[in-house]
Amino acid sequence: MSRVIFHIDVNNAFLSWTAVDLLNKGYRMDIRKIPSIIGGDESKRHGIVLAKSPVAKKYGIKTAETIYMAKKKCQNLKIFPPNYSLYKEKSNQLFSYLKQFSPNMEIFSIDECFLDMSNTTYLYKDLKQLAYTMKEYIKTHFGFTVNIGIGNNKLCAKMASDFEKPDKVHTLFQEEVASKMWPLPVEDLFMIGKSSAKKLHELGIKTISDLAHVDLSKLQKHFKNNAIVMIRHANGIDDSEVTDGKYQTKNKNISVSKTLSTDTVDIEFIKKVLLQEAEEVGRSLRKQNEYAKTIAITIRNKDFFDYSHQTKLKNQTNETKVIYEVALDLFLKTWKRDYIRNIGIRLSDFVEDSHYQISLFESEEKIQSKSVDQTIDKIKDKYGFDSIIPASLLTSSVDKSKNTR
Ligand SMILES: [Mg+2]
């Protein structure tokens, strides 16, 4: 029997949730209806647009641009700070409501989840009607809107929820793939990032249909084994299960290393590279909901001599800031003051979320820094890894030979 999967996605989550919260607190304006954004502190490195209202969008304001730029485009722009604990609360509210419809739910991100509805047909006669009922209930009772995509697998459900927004239900069943998905530009396909899209366009592959019909061996020359998955996705094929995450295999260690554009002893430059690497490995670790107890630094000098050093932490972490500080400290202790060709960070010795205890003395600043990490992860998930880079990194030029495993 064919499967039926729902993908539920909150429309403009951060901004909508803030709007609902403000209205509940007696704020007179619905910030979804005025030029408004959610944005970080301008004076810090996170002074960027995290979410924007539809009106702000009309002014040409874009997610991930600086608040400074956004204000130039619209002088009476209202700016609201991100509030991760509010997002978490709204997200929990949504997921606990949705969970009643199927025991099989996969939380995909803070505002998105999959529901496997395959074995519920004896409960609900018309699944599409049920999706409308869910959507209306969420709007009326929680005050924000969602899109629901319905398909025979996760990929199609996810693609469907993205079709037209907001407040819509769409289907993308196997027999609809050719008519509804193939005409779309190839960059709209799930998992096709900016750089892949660019390469595909260079190869003359402009639509999802082009990709669905491309010769595998031709694509493999450029995308190696990813080519198989790309072509399967373009044909609407995806066998992955809706899983609650418990049985997913996780990485035992996570590492990244970069070959620098020139051999260097410039400590300021090395710091920038380390910060960028800390963000990458931290993000991978946060994705698998784990914390590292060991951090290592790997160094290769201009004569291809490798050396490294590692340390065991008192408190496990997956926080970018902590990883960076420990890595830098390790580097300064280890570095022989020779010219560096390649530098890397490796995390290992992981423990589960549940073992992590927030110290009673954990500062407010630290809790905030965690929220910022999570917010930025979310944007990077959506817009690709290069969308947000701390301002201090913007001037660095690094040859990305990434080996995150
Ligand atoms: Mg969303």
Side-chain angles (χ1 to χ4, degrees):
M1 211 187 76
S2 71
R3 299 191 291 158
V4 181
I5 312 292
F6 281 16
H7 178 253
I8 297 99
D9 185 2
V10 179
N11 301 130
N12 209 351
F14 290 178
L15 195 108
S16 300
W17 286 337
T18 305
V20 171
D21 185 52
L22 288 170
L23 290 170
N24 287 343
K25 286 176 177 154
Y27 199 78
R28 278 152 185 260
M29 231 175 315
D30 186 336
I31 65 160
R32 287 169 288 198
K33 296 182 177 140
I34 58 167
S36 68
I37 58 163
I38 305 296
D41 186 340
E42 278 177 86
S43 64
K44 303 221 178 83
R45 69 185 178 100
H46 302 298
I48 51 155
V49 177
L50 298 171
K52 60 194 179 297
S53 69
V55 192
K57 194 179 174 181
K58 280 191 189 136
Y59 281 90
I61 291 167
K62 294 193 175 73
T63 301
E65 78 180 344
T66 60
I67 292 177
Y68 175 78
M69 277 299 292
K71 275 184 14 200
K72 267 188 157 176
K73 292 176 182 171
C74 173
Q75 257 131 45
N76 52 2
L77 184 69
K78 286 255 190 290
I79 303 166
F80 298 89
N83 180 349
Y84 197 78
S85 58
L86 170 75
Y87 306 156
K88 198 78 207 146
E89 183 191 307
K90 296 286 173 197
S91 166
N92 287 340
Q93 180 186 38
L94 174 70
F95 294 150
S96 41
Y97 164 71
L98 291 171
K99 221 174 185 148
Q100 63 178 303
F101 296 101
S102 165
N104 204 354
M105 178 167 95
E106 177 178 336
I107 295 174
F108 192 65
S109 74
I110 192 163
D111 72 321
E112 284 173 59
C113 72
F114 292 100
L115 282 180
D116 190 339
M117 302 302 292
S118 308
N119 298 315
T120 63
T121 35
Y122 65 95
L123 284 173
Y124 315 108
K125 281 210 175 62
D126 184 345
L127 284 178
K128 197 174 172 188
Q129 190 50 53
L130 176 70
Y132 277 102
T133 309
M134 287 175 175
K135 176 177 90 65
E136 289 308 309
Y137 184 95
I138 293 163
K139 186 161 60 177
T140 324
H141 290 81
F142 304 152
F144 55 88
T145 62
V146 296
N147 261 36
I148 302 184
I150 309 174
N152 297 122
N153 55 45
K154 281 160 69 177
L155 170 84
C156 289
K158 169 105 177 128
M159 291 300 296
S161 72
D162 231 16
F163 283 164
E164 194 203 347
K165 295 172 178 179
D167 199 18
K168 293 274 188 315
V169 173
H170 299 286
T171 62
L172 180 59
F173 293 117
Q174 202 54 51
E175 63 273 18
E176 299 175 300
V177 165
S179 63
K180 290 188 178 176
M181 190 170 85
W182 279 357
L184 299 175
V186 73
E187 55 270 28
D188 284 5
L189 186 62
F190 179 54
M191 300 277 276
I192 301 286
K194 262 189 199 159
S195 64
S196 301
K198 195 170 164 249
K199 210 183 258 179
L200 286 167
H201 276 264
E202 282 163 12
L203 295 168
I205 300 165
K206 302 209 158 32
T207 64
I208 298 180
S209 174
D210 293 342
L211 181 59
H213 297 99
V214 78
D215 182 44
L216 175 62
S217 58
K218 180 184 167 190
L219 206 63
Q220 268 174 330
K221 274 185 208 135
H222 303 273
F223 295 95
K224 310 252 163 63
N225 284 336
N226 285 338
I228 301 170
V229 181
M230 288 162 74
I231 294 177
R232 281 169 65 86
H233 278 184
N235 283 284
I237 301 167
D238 169 32
D239 299 327
S240 65
E241 297 285 328
V242 172
T243 142
D244 57 13
K246 274 187 196 146
Y247 305 105
Q248 277 172 5
T249 51
K250 292 176 172 176
N251 295 311
K252 292 257 193 303
N253 63 67
I254 292 171
S255 64
V256 59
S257 74
K258 289 177 198 301
T259 300
L260 311 179
S261 46
T262 51
D263 299 341
T264 188
V265 288
D266 177 356
I267 184 65
E268 290 311 312
F269 179 69
I270 291 166
K271 278 182 183 173
K272 286 172 187 169
V273 177
L274 281 176
L275 177 57
Q276 194 171 24
E277 291 184 342
E279 286 224 336
E280 288 187 34
V281 291
R283 178 166 178 262
S284 299
L285 189 55
R286 292 191 289 276
K287 271 214 155 147
Q288 59 184 50
N289 258 321
E290 288 186 313
Y291 296 79
K293 278 160 80 177
T294 301
I295 298 180
I297 184 110
T298 58
I299 302 166
R300 170 172 291 174
N301 75 10
K302 72 173 186 6
D303 302 317
F304 287 84
F305 174 75
D306 293 331
Y307 54 105
S308 64
H309 192 38
Q310 68 174 49
T311 187
K312 223 173 164 89
L313 304 174
K314 252 188 245 148
N315 296 309
Q316 55 265 37
T317 190
N318 63 12
E319 215 183 309
T320 295
K321 190 165 174 281
V322 177
I323 297 168
Y324 167 68
E325 284 165 359
V326 173
L328 178 61
D329 184 52
L330 277 173
F331 174 77
L332 293 173
K333 282 181 184 152
T334 317
W335 183 31
K336 301 178 198 301
R337 271 58 185 174
D338 43 2
Y339 275 80
I340 306 290
R341 176 183 165 81
N342 178 297
I343 188 163
I345 300 177
R346 188 178 66 242
L347 307 179
S348 59
D349 212 355
F350 298 158
V351 291
E352 294 267 337
D353 202 355
S354 53
H355 298 132
Y356 179 77
Q357 286 169 350
I358 293 177
S359 155
L360 283 175
F361 305 103
E362 192 159 45
S363 66
E364 179 70 15
E365 187 203 4
K366 199 162 173 194
I367 292 166
Q368 267 175 13
S369 143
K370 273 187 197 160
S371 307
V372 169
D373 280 346
Q374 281 162 318
T375 307
I376 287 192
D377 286 350
K378 163 87 186 164
I379 290 190
K380 285 183 173 170
D381 283 342
K382 245 183 172 148
Y383 297 94
F385 200 79
D386 293 332
S387 54
I388 307 176
I389 294 180
S392 63
L393 291 181
L394 288 174
T395 49
S396 71
S397 74
V398 179
D399 171 20
K400 275 196 181 176
S401 61
K402 218 167 80 171
N403 64 357
T404 307
R405 276 182 294 145

